Amino acid sequence: MAGRAVRLPAPPKRIVLLEARDIVSMSLLHPDPASLVVGWAAVDRIDSGLLQERFEHNRRIGIVGKQTPDTVSPEGLIGLMPDLVVANFYMAPEGGNDLLVERLEAAGIPVIFSDLSSNASSGLPPAKGAVGDFRDHMRMWGEVLDAKDKAAEFIAFFNTHLQRVTSCVAGAAPVTTYLEVQSTVDDCCWAAGNKVWGELLELAGGRTLPGVTAPWFQKLQLEYLLSTPHDVYIASGGGWSAGGRPSIGPGFTPAKGREGLERLIERTGFNQLSSVRNGRVHGIWTGLITVPPLNILFIELAAKWLHPERCQGIDPASTLAEINKRFLSAPIQGPLWASLQE
């Protein structure tokens, strides 16, 4: 992922995840990934207590840090005696030159990167785009878990579903969309950037607001949002409802999600948005974008919401059911999305 060559002396049996969400990718390729994980950080970013319990599988995985790199203790991490640490550019912002990485490698612990996502605009390895990075992400985990064939099978599954969306939106004018990264009743307006979230939206036949220039996310003024016409509003929610986020995610009902969307559009000025006036308001579980293998679900959903007539044949619920049946060792209970009008 980061353009580094790392040799593992043997298949790892004591892995530390600096991004706990990586256990979802592991779960696609291994029947019991928690048996290999001795520590993890940023557990809250799994964004679902239900999923966390399922992935731990009655085991207690040690917590080595919270959501920022300054919370990670190198000594505590080394004390777990891992034979592999899996990092990303959130938790090790300098990549292979990061002080944490250097300390771990000096202690004889290999470090690999599973994700290059960052809101920085420079200093990162060349990216292949959201889908290209996803494919490398899955191939990397296939190598680590000795599951290359299953990784290739999931990539092929992803590609087939992506091609269906590509076909149904081909030739359609892009639909301008306010895709909100952090949807809470007491804050506004965190828009998706033009990388990752924006790239996935583009694959679905959409485009972000024209004033957005940051790669990952950007805070906009409410006045800008009100003065910029857009057709669709897609909010983000999760299992942790702190800050008034809509409860959209594993274990929640569509009705609960709609309640959260109703509260969001009661924020000052939102009744003036064209997307809200026209009833084109939807919400997703953040995991559909932040967990690379689940990106295909977001792409399918956005395509149906943005181009309902063209993409009638796309069925995200069926796609999730197939992922659960064919791949995931810990199935994810849906639905993972909601719409204000259904």
Side-chain angles (χ1 to χ4, degrees), residues 206-247:
R207 62 185 173 197
T208 56
L209 299 175
V212 175
T213 58
W216 183 249
F217 55 82
Q218 183 173 333
K219 187 170 178 61
L220 304 174
Q221 296 299 315
L222 176 60
E223 291 76 12
Y224 172 82
L225 187 61
L226 292 172
S227 63
T228 304
H230 60 275
D231 301 286
V232 178
Y233 166 39
I234 302 177
S236 62
W240 311 116
S241 58
R245 300 166 66 216
S247 296

mmCIF file of all heavy atoms in Angstrom, residues 206-247:
data_model
loop_
_atom_site.group_PDB
_atom_site.id
_atom_site.type_symbol
_atom_site.label_atom_id
_atom_site.label_comp_id
_atom_site.label_asym_id
_atom_site.label_seq_id
_atom_site.Cartn_x
_atom_site.Cartn_y
_atom_site.Cartn_z
ATOM 1 N N GLY A 206 -22.384 10.795 -9.332
ATOM 2 C CA GLY A 206 -22.589 12.047 -8.629
ATOM 3 C C GLY A 206 -21.362 12.916 -8.628
ATOM 4 O O GLY A 206 -20.339 12.579 -9.240
ATOM 5 N N ARG A 207 -21.453 14.039 -7.943
ATOM 6 C CA ARG A 207 -20.299 14.915 -7.750
ATOM 7 C C ARG A 207 -20.510 15.718 -6.481
ATOM 8 O O ARG A 207 -21.647 16.012 -6.089
ATOM 9 C CB ARG A 207 -20.088 15.845 -8.941
ATOM 10 C CG ARG A 207 -21.221 16.805 -9.216
ATOM 11 C CD ARG A 207 -20.978 17.592 -10.488
ATOM 12 N NE ARG A 207 -22.138 18.402 -10.855
ATOM 13 C CZ ARG A 207 -22.326 18.917 -12.067
ATOM 14 N NH1 ARG A 207 -21.422 18.717 -13.022
ATOM 15 N NH2 ARG A 207 -23.396 19.631 -12.320
ATOM 16 N N THR A 208 -19.404 16.046 -5.833
ATOM 17 C CA THR A 208 -19.477 16.816 -4.598
ATOM 18 C C THR A 208 -19.770 18.280 -4.896
ATOM 19 O O THR A 208 -19.753 18.716 -6.057
ATOM 20 C CB THR A 208 -18.155 16.716 -3.817
ATOM 21 O OG1 THR A 208 -17.084 17.149 -4.673
ATOM 22 C CG2 THR A 208 -17.890 15.295 -3.378
ATOM 23 N N LEU A 209 -20.030 19.037 -3.858
ATOM 24 C CA LEU A 209 -20.291 20.466 -4.020
ATOM 25 C C LEU A 209 -19.074 21.167 -4.619
ATOM 26 O O LEU A 209 -17.928 20.828 -4.286
ATOM 27 C CB LEU A 209 -20.635 21.086 -2.668
ATOM 28 C CG LEU A 209 -21.882 20.517 -1.978
ATOM 29 C CD1 LEU A 209 -22.048 21.117 -0.594
ATOM 30 C CD2 LEU A 209 -23.127 20.762 -2.815
ATOM 31 N N PRO A 210 -19.268 22.139 -5.492
ATOM 32 C CA PRO A 210 -18.141 22.743 -6.230
ATOM 33 C C PRO A 210 -17.121 23.467 -5.360
ATOM 34 O O PRO A 210 -15.969 23.616 -5.753
ATOM 35 C CB PRO A 210 -18.827 23.703 -7.199
ATOM 36 C CG PRO A 210 -20.187 23.950 -6.621
ATOM 37 C CD PRO A 210 -20.559 22.686 -5.934
ATOM 38 N N GLY A 211 -17.510 23.908 -4.169
ATOM 39 C CA GLY A 211 -16.577 24.642 -3.326
ATOM 40 C C GLY A 211 -15.652 23.767 -2.510
ATOM 41 O O GLY A 211 -14.796 24.273 -1.772
ATOM 42 N N VAL A 212 -15.789 22.464 -2.612
ATOM 43 C CA VAL A 212 -14.976 21.550 -1.818
ATOM 44 C C VAL A 212 -13.645 21.307 -2.516
ATOM 45 O O VAL A 212 -13.601 20.892 -3.671
ATOM 46 C CB VAL A 212 -15.713 20.209 -1.599
ATOM 47 C CG1 VAL A 212 -14.804 19.214 -0.881
ATOM 48 C CG2 VAL A 212 -16.992 20.432 -0.799
ATOM 49 N N THR A 213 -12.549 21.568 -1.805
ATOM 50 C CA THR A 213 -11.210 21.395 -2.381
ATOM 51 C C THR A 213 -10.345 20.423 -1.588
ATOM 52 O O THR A 213 -9.345 19.930 -2.096
ATOM 53 C CB THR A 213 -10.479 22.747 -2.457
ATOM 54 O OG1 THR A 213 -10.404 23.309 -1.127
ATOM 55 C CG2 THR A 213 -11.217 23.709 -3.374
ATOM 56 N N ALA A 214 -10.707 20.126 -0.333
ATOM 57 C CA ALA A 214 -9.894 19.237 0.508
ATOM 58 C C ALA A 214 -10.032 17.790 0.041
ATOM 59 O O ALA A 214 -11.051 17.402 -0.527
ATOM 60 C CB ALA A 214 -10.316 19.355 1.968
ATOM 61 N N PRO A 215 -9.017 16.962 0.286
ATOM 62 C CA PRO A 215 -9.080 15.576 -0.151
ATOM 63 C C PRO A 215 -10.126 14.735 0.590
ATOM 64 O O PRO A 215 -10.841 13.953 -0.023
ATOM 65 C CB PRO A 215 -7.669 15.048 0.122
ATOM 66 C CG PRO A 215 -6.805 16.243 0.249
ATOM 67 C CD PRO A 215 -7.680 17.318 0.812
ATOM 68 N N TRP A 216 -10.196 14.882 1.933
ATOM 69 C CA TRP A 216 -10.993 13.946 2.733
ATOM 70 C C TRP A 216 -12.278 14.576 3.249
ATOM 71 O O TRP A 216 -13.356 14.046 3.094
ATOM 72 C CB TRP A 216 -10.127 13.435 3.885
ATOM 73 C CG TRP A 216 -10.761 12.408 4.762
ATOM 74 C CD1 TRP A 216 -11.144 12.559 6.055
ATOM 75 C CD2 TRP A 216 -11.107 11.059 4.428
ATOM 76 N NE1 TRP A 216 -11.694 11.395 6.547
ATOM 77 C CE2 TRP A 216 -11.680 10.463 5.572
ATOM 78 C CE3 TRP A 216 -10.979 10.300 3.264
ATOM 79 C CZ2 TRP A 216 -12.132 9.143 5.581
ATOM 80 C CZ3 TRP A 216 -11.428 8.979 3.283
ATOM 81 C CH2 TRP A 216 -11.992 8.427 4.427
ATOM 82 N N PHE A 217 -12.175 15.762 3.880
ATOM 83 C CA PHE A 217 -13.366 16.439 4.388
ATOM 84 C C PHE A 217 -13.074 17.922 4.503
ATOM 85 O O PHE A 217 -11.918 18.347 4.550
ATOM 86 C CB PHE A 217 -13.791 15.877 5.751
ATOM 87 C CG PHE A 217 -12.696 15.909 6.788
ATOM 88 C CD1 PHE A 217 -12.416 17.064 7.500
ATOM 89 C CD2 PHE A 217 -11.932 14.778 7.050
ATOM 90 C CE1 PHE A 217 -11.403 17.098 8.446
ATOM 91 C CE2 PHE A 217 -10.925 14.798 7.993
ATOM 92 C CZ PHE A 217 -10.658 15.952 8.694
ATOM 93 N N GLN A 218 -14.136 18.722 4.538
ATOM 94 C CA GLN A 218 -13.972 20.179 4.591
ATOM 95 C C GLN A 218 -15.202 20.783 5.256
ATOM 96 O O GLN A 218 -16.331 20.453 4.917
ATOM 97 C CB GLN A 218 -13.815 20.736 3.172
ATOM 98 C CG GLN A 218 -13.572 22.234 3.114
ATOM 99 C CD GLN A 218 -13.254 22.685 1.701
ATOM 100 O OE1 GLN A 218 -12.742 21.924 0.889
ATOM 101 N NE2 GLN A 218 -13.559 23.937 1.392
ATOM 102 N N LYS A 219 -14.961 21.690 6.204
ATOM 103 C CA LYS A 219 -16.072 22.368 6.872
ATOM 104 C C LYS A 219 -16.510 23.555 6.017
ATOM 105 O O LYS A 219 -15.698 24.412 5.663
ATOM 106 C CB LYS A 219 -15.680 22.841 8.266
ATOM 107 C CG LYS A 219 -16.851 23.399 9.068
ATOM 108 C CD LYS A 219 -16.465 23.631 10.520
ATOM 109 C CE LYS A 219 -17.608 24.244 11.323
ATOM 110 N NZ LYS A 219 -18.814 23.388 11.362
ATOM 111 N N LEU A 220 -17.788 23.586 5.705
ATOM 112 C CA LEU A 220 -18.354 24.663 4.903
ATOM 113 C C LEU A 220 -19.219 25.564 5.781
ATOM 114 O O LEU A 220 -19.747 25.129 6.808
ATOM 115 C CB LEU A 220 -19.216 24.088 3.774
ATOM 116 C CG LEU A 220 -18.540 23.104 2.824
ATOM 117 C CD1 LEU A 220 -19.576 22.520 1.867
ATOM 118 C CD2 LEU A 220 -17.411 23.783 2.048
ATOM 119 N N GLN A 221 -19.367 26.779 5.366
ATOM 120 C CA GLN A 221 -20.285 27.692 6.046
ATOM 121 C C GLN A 221 -21.722 27.372 5.619
ATOM 122 O O GLN A 221 -21.980 27.013 4.465
ATOM 123 C CB GLN A 221 -19.959 29.144 5.710
ATOM 124 C CG GLN A 221 -18.599 29.597 6.204
ATOM 125 C CD GLN A 221 -18.469 29.501 7.717
ATOM 126 O OE1 GLN A 221 -19.369 29.906 8.446
ATOM 127 N NE2 GLN A 221 -17.350 28.966 8.171
ATOM 128 N N LEU A 222 -22.649 27.501 6.556
ATOM 129 C CA LEU A 222 -24.043 27.233 6.237
ATOM 130 C C LEU A 222 -24.510 28.121 5.086
ATOM 131 O O LEU A 222 -25.278 27.687 4.220
ATOM 132 C CB LEU A 222 -24.911 27.466 7.477
ATOM 133 C CG LEU A 222 -26.424 27.305 7.276
ATOM 134 C CD1 LEU A 222 -26.786 25.899 6.817
ATOM 135 C CD2 LEU A 222 -27.177 27.660 8.567
ATOM 136 N N GLU A 223 -24.022 29.364 5.070
ATOM 137 C CA GLU A 223 -24.422 30.288 3.999
ATOM 138 C C GLU A 223 -24.032 29.739 2.624
ATOM 139 O O GLU A 223 -24.779 29.879 1.651
ATOM 140 C CB GLU A 223 -23.778 31.655 4.216
ATOM 141 C CG GLU A 223 -24.301 32.433 5.421
ATOM 142 C CD GLU A 223 -23.758 31.906 6.748
ATOM 143 O OE1 GLU A 223 -22.797 31.094 6.735
ATOM 144 O OE2 GLU A 223 -24.309 32.293 7.794
ATOM 145 N N TYR A 224 -22.861 29.096 2.557
ATOM 146 C CA TYR A 224 -22.434 28.513 1.283
ATOM 147 C C TYR A 224 -23.362 27.366 0.887
ATOM 148 O O TYR A 224 -23.788 27.258 -0.268
ATOM 149 C CB TYR A 224 -20.999 28.003 1.377
ATOM 150 C CG TYR A 224 -20.588 27.210 0.142
ATOM 151 C CD1 TYR A 224 -20.156 27.868 -1.008
ATOM 152 C CD2 TYR A 224 -20.686 25.822 0.123
ATOM 153 C CE1 TYR A 224 -19.832 27.158 -2.145
ATOM 154 C CE2 TYR A 224 -20.360 25.103 -1.012
ATOM 155 C CZ TYR A 224 -19.926 25.777 -2.143
ATOM 156 O OH TYR A 224 -19.617 25.074 -3.282
ATOM 157 N N LEU A 225 -23.683 26.520 1.847
ATOM 158 C CA LEU A 225 -24.548 25.385 1.561
ATOM 159 C C LEU A 225 -25.917 25.862 1.075
ATOM 160 O O LEU A 225 -26.480 25.312 0.118
ATOM 161 C CB LEU A 225 -24.702 24.529 2.819
ATOM 162 C CG LEU A 225 -25.450 23.204 2.681
ATOM 163 C CD1 LEU A 225 -24.746 22.283 1.701
ATOM 164 C CD2 LEU A 225 -25.589 22.522 4.036
ATOM 165 N N LEU A 226 -26.446 26.895 1.716
ATOM 166 C CA LEU A 226 -27.762 27.405 1.336
ATOM 167 C C LEU A 226 -27.754 28.055 -0.047
ATOM 168 O O LEU A 226 -28.772 28.043 -0.748
ATOM 169 C CB LEU A 226 -28.237 28.427 2.377
ATOM 170 C CG LEU A 226 -28.576 27.873 3.767
ATOM 171 C CD1 LEU A 226 -28.829 29.005 4.753
ATOM 172 C CD2 LEU A 226 -29.794 26.956 3.683
ATOM 173 N N SER A 227 -26.623 28.594 -0.446
ATOM 174 C CA SER A 227 -26.559 29.298 -1.733
ATOM 175 C C SER A 227 -26.075 28.419 -2.879
ATOM 176 O O SER A 227 -25.974 28.892 -4.012
ATOM 177 C CB SER A 227 -25.639 30.521 -1.610
ATOM 178 O OG SER A 227 -24.310 30.119 -1.306
ATOM 179 N N THR A 228 -25.786 27.147 -2.578
ATOM 180 C CA THR A 228 -25.260 26.247 -3.605
ATOM 181 C C THR A 228 -26.290 25.164 -3.903
ATOM 182 O O THR A 228 -26.497 24.258 -3.091
ATOM 183 C CB THR A 228 -23.951 25.587 -3.129
ATOM 184 O OG1 THR A 228 -23.018 26.621 -2.771
ATOM 185 C CG2 THR A 228 -23.346 24.727 -4.231
ATOM 186 N N PRO A 229 -26.943 25.228 -5.047
ATOM 187 C CA PRO A 229 -27.967 24.221 -5.371
ATOM 188 C C PRO A 229 -27.376 22.814 -5.443
ATOM 189 O O PRO A 229 -26.285 22.612 -5.966
ATOM 190 C CB PRO A 229 -28.479 24.673 -6.749
ATOM 191 C CG PRO A 229 -28.074 26.110 -6.873
ATOM 192 C CD PRO A 229 -26.793 26.239 -6.109
ATOM 193 N N HIS A 230 -28.099 21.865 -4.891
ATOM 194 C CA HIS A 230 -27.706 20.460 -5.008
ATOM 195 C C HIS A 230 -28.967 19.617 -4.976
ATOM 196 O O HIS A 230 -29.981 20.004 -4.402
ATOM 197 C CB HIS A 230 -26.732 20.059 -3.893
ATOM 198 C CG HIS A 230 -27.266 20.220 -2.515
ATOM 199 N ND1 HIS A 230 -27.212 21.414 -1.824
ATOM 200 C CD2 HIS A 230 -27.894 19.342 -1.691
ATOM 201 C CE1 HIS A 230 -27.777 21.270 -0.642
ATOM 202 N NE2 HIS A 230 -28.198 20.023 -0.526
ATOM 203 N N ASP A 231 -28.893 18.459 -5.600
ATOM 204 C CA ASP A 231 -30.089 17.641 -5.804
ATOM 205 C C ASP A 231 -30.362 16.656 -4.677
ATOM 206 O O ASP A 231 -31.518 16.339 -4.389
ATOM 207 C CB ASP A 231 -29.957 16.865 -7.121
ATOM 208 C CG ASP A 231 -29.793 17.794 -8.309
ATOM 209 O OD1 ASP A 231 -30.794 18.419 -8.701
ATOM 210 O OD2 ASP A 231 -28.673 17.907 -8.838
ATOM 211 N N VAL A 232 -29.289 16.137 -4.056
ATOM 212 C CA VAL A 232 -29.439 15.063 -3.082
ATOM 213 C C VAL A 232 -28.591 15.365 -1.849
ATOM 214 O O VAL A 232 -27.479 15.894 -1.965
ATOM 215 C CB VAL A 232 -29.012 13.705 -3.685
ATOM 216 C CG1 VAL A 232 -29.116 12.580 -2.651
ATOM 217 C CG2 VAL A 232 -29.854 13.372 -4.907
ATOM 218 N N TYR A 233 -29.128 15.034 -0.687
ATOM 219 C CA TYR A 233 -28.388 15.154 0.575
ATOM 220 C C TYR A 233 -28.219 13.757 1.157
ATOM 221 O O TYR A 233 -29.208 13.055 1.400
ATOM 222 C CB TYR A 233 -29.143 16.070 1.542
ATOM 223 C CG TYR A 233 -28.683 16.035 2.989
ATOM 224 C CD1 TYR A 233 -27.329 15.937 3.323
ATOM 225 C CD2 TYR A 233 -29.606 16.111 4.032
ATOM 226 C CE1 TYR A 233 -26.921 15.909 4.655
ATOM 227 C CE2 TYR A 233 -29.216 16.101 5.364
ATOM 228 C CZ TYR A 233 -27.867 15.983 5.666
ATOM 229 O OH TYR A 233 -27.456 15.951 6.984
ATOM 230 N N ILE A 234 -26.966 13.332 1.357
ATOM 231 C CA ILE A 234 -26.669 12.047 1.977
ATOM 232 C C ILE A 234 -25.928 12.304 3.280
ATOM 233 O O ILE A 234 -24.816 12.838 3.277
ATOM 234 C CB ILE A 234 -25.824 11.143 1.063
ATOM 235 C CG1 ILE A 234 -26.552 10.897 -0.266
ATOM 236 C CG2 ILE A 234 -25.534 9.812 1.755
ATOM 237 C CD1 ILE A 234 -25.748 10.075 -1.262
ATOM 238 N N ALA A 235 -26.553 11.950 4.392
ATOM 239 C CA ALA A 235 -25.959 12.126 5.710
ATOM 240 C C ALA A 235 -25.215 10.854 6.109
ATOM 241 O O ALA A 235 -25.341 9.807 5.471
ATOM 242 C CB ALA A 235 -27.041 12.445 6.734
ATOM 243 N N SER A 236 -24.438 10.948 7.172
ATOM 244 C CA SER A 236 -23.731 9.782 7.696
ATOM 245 C C SER A 236 -24.101 9.584 9.159
ATOM 246 O O SER A 236 -24.238 10.542 9.913
ATOM 247 C CB SER A 236 -22.213 9.936 7.544
ATOM 248 O OG SER A 236 -21.739 11.040 8.287
ATOM 249 N N GLY A 237 -24.285 8.328 9.537
ATOM 250 C CA GLY A 237 -24.629 8.004 10.912
ATOM 251 C C GLY A 237 -23.853 6.796 11.385
ATOM 252 O O GLY A 237 -22.999 6.268 10.673
ATOM 253 N N GLY A 238 -24.146 6.361 12.596
ATOM 254 C CA GLY A 238 -23.410 5.227 13.128
ATOM 255 C C GLY A 238 -24.025 4.660 14.380
ATOM 256 O O GLY A 238 -25.070 5.118 14.858
ATOM 257 N N GLY A 239 -23.340 3.668 14.920
ATOM 258 C CA GLY A 239 -23.808 3.017 16.132
ATOM 259 C C GLY A 239 -23.638 3.884 17.360
ATOM 260 O O GLY A 239 -24.379 3.765 18.325
ATOM 261 N N TRP A 240 -22.625 4.747 17.357
ATOM 262 C CA TRP A 240 -22.428 5.662 18.480
ATOM 263 C C TRP A 240 -23.193 6.943 18.170
ATOM 264 O O TRP A 240 -22.892 7.640 17.204
ATOM 265 C CB TRP A 240 -20.941 5.977 18.673
ATOM 266 C CG TRP A 240 -20.050 4.769 18.701
ATOM 267 C CD1 TRP A 240 -19.070 4.457 17.804
ATOM 268 C CD2 TRP A 240 -20.039 3.713 19.659
ATOM 269 N NE1 TRP A 240 -18.458 3.284 18.140
ATOM 270 C CE2 TRP A 240 -19.034 2.795 19.283
ATOM 271 C CE3 TRP A 240 -20.782 3.443 20.809
ATOM 272 C CZ2 TRP A 240 -18.749 1.647 19.998
ATOM 273 C CZ3 TRP A 240 -20.510 2.291 21.525
ATOM 274 C CH2 TRP A 240 -19.507 1.410 21.127
ATOM 275 N N SER A 241 -24.199 7.279 18.957
ATOM 276 C CA SER A 241 -25.073 8.409 18.632
ATOM 277 C C SER A 241 -24.656 9.697 19.314
ATOM 278 O O SER A 241 -25.434 10.637 19.418
ATOM 279 C CB SER A 241 -26.522 8.066 19.009
ATOM 280 O OG SER A 241 -26.616 7.756 20.384
ATOM 281 N N ALA A 242 -23.413 9.759 19.799
ATOM 282 C CA ALA A 242 -22.947 10.977 20.459
ATOM 283 C C ALA A 242 -23.046 12.161 19.514
ATOM 284 O O ALA A 242 -22.734 12.072 18.335
ATOM 285 C CB ALA A 242 -21.502 10.790 20.916
ATOM 286 N N GLY A 243 -23.460 13.301 20.059
ATOM 287 C CA GLY A 243 -23.563 14.497 19.238
ATOM 288 C C GLY A 243 -24.798 14.522 18.369
ATOM 289 O O GLY A 243 -24.919 15.341 17.466
ATOM 290 N N GLY A 244 -25.736 13.616 18.624
ATOM 291 C CA GLY A 244 -26.973 13.635 17.858
ATOM 292 C C GLY A 244 -26.845 13.057 16.471
ATOM 293 O O GLY A 244 -27.621 13.416 15.571
ATOM 294 N N ARG A 245 -25.917 12.162 16.253
ATOM 295 C CA ARG A 245 -25.811 11.509 14.951
ATOM 296 C C ARG A 245 -26.995 10.573 14.748
ATOM 297 O O ARG A 245 -27.490 9.977 15.689
ATOM 298 C CB ARG A 245 -24.509 10.698 14.863
ATOM 299 C CG ARG A 245 -23.259 11.514 15.026
ATOM 300 C CD ARG A 245 -22.053 10.620 15.259
ATOM 301 N NE ARG A 245 -21.752 9.812 14.095
ATOM 302 C CZ ARG A 245 -21.302 8.558 14.146
ATOM 303 N NH1 ARG A 245 -21.149 7.961 15.304
ATOM 304 N NH2 ARG A 245 -21.021 7.901 13.053
ATOM 305 N N PRO A 246 -27.439 10.405 13.509
ATOM 306 C CA PRO A 246 -28.530 9.452 13.276
ATOM 307 C C PRO A 246 -28.071 8.023 13.537
ATOM 308 O O PRO A 246 -26.931 7.659 13.223
ATOM 309 C CB PRO A 246 -28.874 9.666 11.799
ATOM 310 C CG PRO A 246 -27.671 10.303 11.197
ATOM 311 C CD PRO A 246 -27.027 11.104 12.286
ATOM 312 N N SER A 247 -28.944 7.224 14.128
ATOM 313 C CA SER A 247 -28.616 5.831 14.456
ATOM 314 C C SER A 247 -28.823 4.969 13.218
ATOM 315 O O SER A 247 -29.892 4.391 13.009
ATOM 316 C CB SER A 247 -29.485 5.343 15.615
ATOM 317 O OG SER A 247 -29.212 6.083 16.782
#
